[in-house]
Amino acid sequence: MLPGGLVSGGGCRGGGLGMLRWLGLRLWSRRGTLVFALLWFGSWLFLNGLVLVHRTILSDYCTDDKSKRILQRLCLEFGEGSVTGDMCEDLCVLGLVEYKRCLYYENGKKVIEAHWRGKPVILKSKLENFSSYEPLGILDYQDTAEDLSPLDVVYYATLEVRNSLGLAEEGKEVAYNSSVAGFWGKKLQNRDKSYSRAELASLWSLLQQEEYTFLRVLQDLSSHVAQVLGSCGHFYAVEFLSAGHAWDQNIFSLDEVASSGLSDAGGGRGRWSSREMVHRIALSFLDMVWHFDNDFTHKLHLCDIKPENFAIRKDLTVVAIDVDMAFFEPKMRDILDQNCSSDDDCNFFDCSSRCNLSKRRCSPQRRNSNLQVICEKIFRPWFSPTLLGAKAGLPLQVELQRAVQECSESDGPGDGDVHQRLLSIIKRLLSEGGAEGGGASEGKGHTHTALNF
């Protein structure tokens, strides 16, 4: 064989190996590129996920440091004369408001537990910063706030309240009504001098918070709403109460409530059992429902009924403590009056209506009721055979279970008979248990208190 042939053959084999090495490198490069791209894409997703978590969770996380900074900023504004309130000096100067912990923070809404002069309170604000609230526009056209008389202030406050609660009537002039001033307390009504800019600005920031407005309006008209105790700037303080919990079989922590019964014949004081307290709380729920349905100019609808939104006082009175989803009839009708293709489109949390398929419009009339939802979400778990155990088969307990079932399945407008039936059964249960009177109201002797806007 010629040497050249050997060279030629060797060159071919060497070229083949080179080609294989080159192809292997290309294959490895493609795999490496693919792996690198996947790693880069995964890292990008991970980093963006961290940013998203930070923005949606960490930024709204309830931290003590952030809560304290918010209160410090409020005190700085008080020191500058921008805000004021009846608890500002205690909070910012005298140190009589002691921060305890942050309870809730989402989308700027802040809820803080504190002690004010030794008593527990809850501090609330819909928005974190005072500057986030709309200023009172009339002040832009006034050289001094003193140009506004107390009567002017009550007038503008009334307009804002009516608008916030959905009680303003289109096409009708809203006249000043002296009864409205009573909703803001004697201090606002009997003021004999003009308000400062800080007072007006603080009041206006509070009136833009629907929950504050609602609680303030009903302050002296209902025992079933949390009491407003004071304010500073855009923060207001409400009474601290024992709230309900879905995981508690009795909903409320009854051990935290002073549960001494009425004096017996010997002058001693008996202690209510847990079941007696549950029955008294149930009576208070029934009283609250009747009160909200009948004792105001407009029916009051609760659209978010769950244990966490209610609390009890020491006398076992049920109190609505979160009323962001409470609406008077006119506003309720506006909310429900929407386009629809089925009844499911006409559900607004716990408030619902029916869809008129010919008009493809939800009825503005609510089809269920406060009582129906309370029976479904509160009473059914309470009076279920599982919790009652051996007592579940007793005649009155069976009658109560049937009444609660009927109430849960009722359709709202005609539930007056169901209400009276529940009231009667629970009273009989209390009477048979040897505990009469006292505690929560039993639904008699309602005082009619119309909201004359």
Side-chain angles (χ1 to χ4, degrees):
M1 185 176 290
L2 293 173
L6 290 173
V7 172
S8 177
C12 181
R13 185 172 57 186
L17 291 173
M19 178 65 72
L20 289 176
R21 292 193 190 99
W22 180 79
L23 287 173
L25 180 62
R26 287 291 301 271
L27 290 173
W28 180 90
S29 297
R30 289 178 180 176
R31 288 178 188 153
T33 302
L34 181 60
V35 171
F36 176 78
L38 290 174
L39 288 174
W40 181 88
F41 183 68
S43 300
W44 180 84
L45 286 177
F46 178 74
L47 291 174
N48 277 274
L50 286 179
V51 172
L52 180 63
V53 167
H54 176 77
R55 287 179 178 175
T56 58
I57 299 179
L58 297 183
S59 62
D60 281 350
Y61 191 67
C62 214
T63 65
D64 290 336
D65 288 342
K66 188 166 186 175
S67 301
K68 291 178 180 179
R69 286 198 301 270
I70 290 173
L71 295 180
Q72 289 170 356
R73 189 184 308 124
L74 176 64
C75 287
L76 180 62
E77 291 167 333
F78 171 67
E80 295 171 346
S82 302
V83 303
T84 189
D86 53 5
M87 70 179 300
C88 282
E89 190 167 349
D90 284 356
L91 173 67
C92 305
V93 180
L94 302 179
L96 297 178
V97 179
E98 180 185 359
Y99 174 89
K100 287 299 181 181
R101 59 185 175 129
C102 177
L103 297 176
Y104 180 83
Y105 182 52
E106 183 177 350
N107 297 325
K109 181 178 180 179
K110 198 72 176 175
V111 182
I112 296 171
E113 180 183 345
H115 279 192
W116 185 14
R117 294 181 177 267
K119 294 183 178 180
V121 297
I122 300 296
L123 301 178
K124 287 187 171 186
S125 178
K126 184 179 180 179
L127 300 175
E128 176 181 328
N129 299 315
F130 179 74
S131 58
S132 299
Y133 291 94
E134 290 291 330
L136 178 57
I138 192 68
L139 292 180
D140 294 337
Y141 305 99
Q142 301 277 358
D143 293 333
T144 62
E146 287 72 18
D147 294 335
L148 286 174
S149 69
L151 185 63
D152 292 329
V153 174
V154 174
Y155 176 78
Y156 287 115
T158 301
L159 292 178
E160 183 65 16
V161 170
R162 291 175 61 102
N163 181 64
S164 175
L165 299 181
L167 297 174
E169 298 180 30
E170 295 182 5
K172 293 185 179 181
E173 182 180 355
V174 181
Y176 167 71
N177 186 321
S178 60
S179 66
V180 175
F183 298 149
W184 315 113
K186 295 180 179 179
K187 181 178 179 181
L188 183 66
Q189 182 178 358
N190 299 327
R191 181 79 169 222
D192 57 359
K193 61 179 181 179
S194 300
Y195 291 87
S196 68
R197 279 185 172 267
E199 288 175 314
L200 291 175
S202 299
L203 173 63
W204 205 245
S205 68
L206 292 171
L207 293 183
Q208 292 176 59
Q209 303 181 56
E210 293 84 357
E211 184 173 67
Y212 171 85
T213 302
F214 179 90
L215 294 176
R216 206 68 187 87
V217 164
L218 297 185
Q219 194 76 103
D220 301 321
L221 303 178
S222 177
S223 62
H224 291 291
V225 296
Q227 297 290 298
V228 178
L229 304 177
S231 64
C232 180
H234 57 303
F235 272 88
Y236 59 97
V238 298
E239 61 180 323
F240 182 92
L241 296 169
S242 178
H245 300 285
W247 46 261
D248 193 317
Q249 68 174 13
N250 292 320
I251 294 182
F252 302 105
S253 298
L254 301 180
D255 292 339
E256 299 177 7
V257 179
S259 55
S260 295
L262 298 178
S263 299
D264 56 28
R269 296 181 68 86
R271 185 176 179 82
W272 291 336
S273 68
S274 294
R275 185 47 44 180
E276 286 173 332
M277 284 191 281
V278 165
H279 289 151
R280 293 178 183 277
I281 296 170
L283 286 178
S284 190
F285 264 113
L286 292 175
D287 181 72
M288 180 188 71
V289 167
W290 182 271
H291 175 54
F292 287 170
D293 282 354
N294 299 282
D295 288 350
F296 306 128
T297 303
H298 300 290
K299 183 179 292 187
L300 179 61
H301 298 274
L302 303 178
C303 293
D304 190 12
I305 293 177
K306 58 186 177 183
E308 294 81 1
N309 288 347
F310 297 95
I312 51 174
R313 295 197 178 98
K314 290 184 177 181
D315 63 354
L316 303 183
T317 297
V318 173
V319 179
I321 57 174
D322 190 333
V323 290
D324 283 339
M325 301 292 286
F327 309 101
F328 286 106
E329 180 71 22
K331 195 165 187 175
M332 186 79 264
R333 294 176 70 88
D334 287 341
I335 291 172
L336 293 176
D337 188 14
Q338 303 292 332
N339 294 326
C340 64
S341 58
S342 69
D343 285 347
D344 291 339
D345 298 328
C346 301
N347 295 332
F348 182 77
F349 295 87
D350 289 326
C351 296
S352 62
S353 68
R354 296 191 184 279
C355 179
N356 186 326
L357 295 177
S358 62
K359 297 181 179 179
R360 292 196 171 275
R361 195 78 178 171
C362 295
S363 169
Q365 180 69 41
R366 183 182 176 186
R367 73 171 178 178
N368 62 353
S369 67
N370 293 334
L371 178 61
Q372 186 268 328
V373 181
I374 284 173
C375 282
E376 181 181 352
K377 292 192 170 184
I378 307 292
F379 288 178
R380 282 179 74 171
W382 259 351
F383 304 124
S384 68
T386 304
L387 277 184
L388 291 173
K391 293 182 179 181
L394 297 177
L396 264 184
Q397 295 291 356
V398 173
E399 188 177 350
L400 178 59
Q401 293 164 32
R402 289 174 178 171
V404 169
Q405 182 69 22
E406 180 183 337
C407 174
S408 301
E409 297 172 354
S410 64
D411 232 5
D415 58 18
D417 292 340
V418 178
H419 183 280
Q420 290 302 317
R421 184 181 172 193
L422 288 168
L423 195 65
S424 174
I425 296 172
I426 295 174
K427 285 181 179 180
R428 286 157 58 197
L429 280 168
L430 272 175
S431 178
E432 288 189 1
E436 299 182 11
S441 170
E442 296 185 347
K444 287 186 177 181
H446 294 279
T447 301
H448 187 84
T449 50
L451 296 182
N452 297 315
F453 285 93

